[in-house]
Amino acid sequence: MSAGSSSRLPRRRPAGRKALLATLMLLVAVASAFPLVWMVLSSLKTPAESMQVPPVWIPHTPSLDAYGKVSGVVNVGRSMWNSLVIASITTAGILITSMMAGYAFAKYHFPGRSLLFSVLIATMFLPPIVTLIPLYRLVGSIGLNASLAGIIVPNLANAFGIFLMRQFIASVPDDLIDAARMDGASELLILFKIVAPSVAPAIAALALFAFVYHWNSYLWPLTVLQGNADAYPIVISLSRLLSYNRGAVNTGLVMAGATLAVLPPLILFVLLQRFFVDSIVGSAIKG
Amino acid sequence: MINRYRASAGIMLAPAVTLIGIFILLPMLLTVWLSFQDWSTQTPFSNAAFIGFDNFREIFGASSVGRDFKGALINTSIYTALSVILILPLSVAFGLMVHQHDVGGGTALRTVLFSTYMVPMIAVALVWSKLYSPGEGPLNQMLGLIGVGPQPFLSSPRSALISIVLLNVWQQVGYFTVLAIAGLTQISGSLYEAAKLDGANRFEQFRFITLPLLRRTLLFSAVIAIINAVQVFEPVALITQGGPVGSTNVLTYHIRRVGIERAQGGLGSAMAVMLMLSLIVVVCALFAFANRKDQE
């Protein structure tokens, strides 16, 4: 479009504007990436380097010592494992419950459908703090406090997943489903063998979102675990590093811890970012 | 046939509806009920004793409970307003950049912006508490390079809340940029062609085409940004603990402290109900405002 108009009206202005735009984009990208780049660089510094004023931006003698020291403060292996268990099981649960409910809302007609859907969707906009106090007591009274199950079970279903699945399953042709019914397939079989493959990108998007969200979540695990350090996910374990945060000596240690916490979700994102974007766009404009 | 599928609907819905019912809807109703009770979080729900509006009287009263709650309410309002005011224009500006350069540079910028949204808050808190360090912190070092004196950032009551807002904007703006791009791609290019033929300049195209057609996206973004903002917890819990002198004591942090740590379940629930009511009022007002604009 812009190439066409500039060939008709050869002027210097568009080129200048393009350069300006490119510069602006670069500045925004640098500003946005700076904290993370600085975090990784600082994690590779020696204590002496991280103490220097004015700061050394790029470590002269990069070392991984700080990463070893993090293990001296927190149980990195155990916490990473807890995070993996929490995020994986929660994600699997969300996928199953969301696909089933999304399929029901997209393809069945039953009385009260739109009312039930509205009530469920309303919970999407409910800040978790509103339910935190009774939920804490409720989970305690069924004996799940201070355990991984206490973190996982209340999160096995959510409205966002149902909403997203309904949006995408609605676009699966009814003929496809009817044909399978003619062949005598059960509804669950139809959902997992026929509907699921045709909405695979949406499932991938939801899986990634759920995994990252529950890997990163802090408030609920902190509340339900009540100091049971054996069950701490990595994001809670690492909060111990904040008390090491006074003085520059431990900057490298703190940044190594932060880098460890960031890596799993960030790697997932960089590999599979298309799916993340699809799911946000799908939740915002589809249907 | 129809009956069979009705039964299937029940089976398909049962897991999600049961879980959401028990772990979201029931606690929500309990919050409302508990807000009228004298109840300690350490005791069973059956220990709750009805006390009418006393909890609400107390959180809006002149005692220290009232002062702290009103402070938290004000801090959260300021935090929310500042977040929305910064995030929405930035997301549109960044969205336009990415959208106009849809190949290569645009996608790369989108990736960089959105990647911060994947960073756990603990890492954000660890990194920014160092970036904001008064002496050796990189931000003050950089300000020094352009001749600005060192800022206290998190250590002064005047700047602590805005410092947390900036940290939050940094983390979230990529998400809203993706929403803005989604909105921009829905605007037909022919509208711009027509406007160009009519002699509209870039600014006029933005003012009379982009902005009006982006209104639904902006409304959605505003609602999400508000709901995200009232949930701010980690940076406060991790870095400032509500200080200095209560300047970052936001509602989520305060409600958890009252309701869980001090176990004053009734008081905390009353605060949570007020948060929910304020949110409903603000979001409804936003929709009413948008609808009025639609009719104009």
Side-chain angles (χ1 to χ4, degrees), chain A residues 1 5 17-18 21-22 24-25 28-36 38-39 50 52-55 57 97-98 100-101 103-105 108-111 116 119-120 123-139 141-142 153-154 156-159 162 181 185 187-188 191 209 212-213 215-219 222-223 234-236 238-239 241-242 244-248 250-251 254-255 257-259 261-262 265-266 269-270 273-274 276-277 280-281 283-285, chain B residues 1-2 4-6 8-9 11-13 15-17 19-20 22-28 30-31 34 39-45 94 97-98 100-101 105-107 109-123 125-131 135-139 141-142 170-171 175 178-179 182-183 185-186 189 192-193 196 202 217 220 223-224 227 230-231 233-234 237-239 241 251-253 255-256 258-260 264-265 268-269 272-273 275-276 279:
Chain A
M1 196 164 70
S5 55
R17 190 190 285 138
K18 237 176 186 170
L21 188 63
L24 216 56
M25 284 169 70
V28 172
V30 168
S32 181
F34 173 74
L36 292 179
W38 184 76
M39 168 188 79
S50 54
Q52 282 182 32
V53 180
W57 296 103
T97 56
S98 301
M100 289 172 71
Y103 180 56
F105 282 118
Y108 297 140
H109 296 274
F110 54 90
L116 182 61
V119 171
L120 292 183
T123 66
M124 201 157 89
F125 300 99
L126 193 69
I129 187 69
V130 172
T131 55
L132 188 84
I133 296 168
L135 186 61
Y136 166 77
R137 185 70 219 173
L138 204 65
V139 167
S141 64
I142 52 177
V153 173
L156 290 174
N158 68 51
I162 296 171
R181 281 176 185 159
E187 291 297 297
L188 275 176
L191 172 58
F209 240 96
V212 172
Y213 184 88
W215 180 281
N216 290 354
S217 85
Y218 185 86
L219 174 61
L222 179 76
T223 304
I234 187 76
V235 295
I236 294 188
L238 288 175
S239 57
L241 293 178
L242 276 165
Y244 282 72
N245 208 6
R246 325 258 177 258
N250 290 301
T251 301
V254 170
M255 292 306 136
T259 307
V262 170
L266 212 56
F269 164 66
V270 170
Q273 60 147 320
R274 187 170 64 86
F276 282 98
V277 172
I280 297 183
V281 173
S283 65
I285 62 175
Chain B
M1 273 304 251
I2 301 235
R4 201 184 109 208
Y5 294 130
R6 244 178 220 178
S8 303
I11 294 167
M12 292 289 180
L13 289 169
V17 170
L19 285 163
I20 292 178
I22 294 176
F23 295 113
I24 300 178
L25 292 174
L26 174 65
M28 200 198 86
L30 281 170
T31 299
L34 288 168
W39 176 68
S40 160
T41 316
Q42 305 287 1
T43 62
F45 293 122
F94 296 162
M97 282 185 199
V98 172
Q100 295 194 355
H101 260 229
T107 313
L109 178 62
R110 191 190 67 187
T111 305
V112 172
L113 283 173
F114 192 63
S115 63
T116 62
Y117 188 68
M118 296 294 135
V119 178
M121 248 309 171
I122 174 68
L126 287 168
V127 172
W128 282 76
S129 66
K130 283 292 179 186
L131 288 176
E136 80 284 2
L139 289 181
Q141 294 289 337
M142 284 190 285
W170 171 78
Q171 203 207 12
Y175 177 86
V178 172
L179 288 181
T185 50
Q186 297 224 308
Y192 293 104
E193 294 294 338
K196 259 187 231 163
R202 288 258 168 175
T217 306
F220 183 76
V223 171
I224 303 288
I227 290 166
V230 302
Q231 293 180 37
F233 176 75
E234 288 101 326
L238 289 163
I239 314 177
Q241 281 97 46
L251 277 177
T252 300
Y253 183 71
I255 291 172
R256 186 181 177 278
V258 171
I260 304 286
Q264 295 170 314
S269 296
V273 167
L275 168 66
M276 198 160 55
L279 205 54

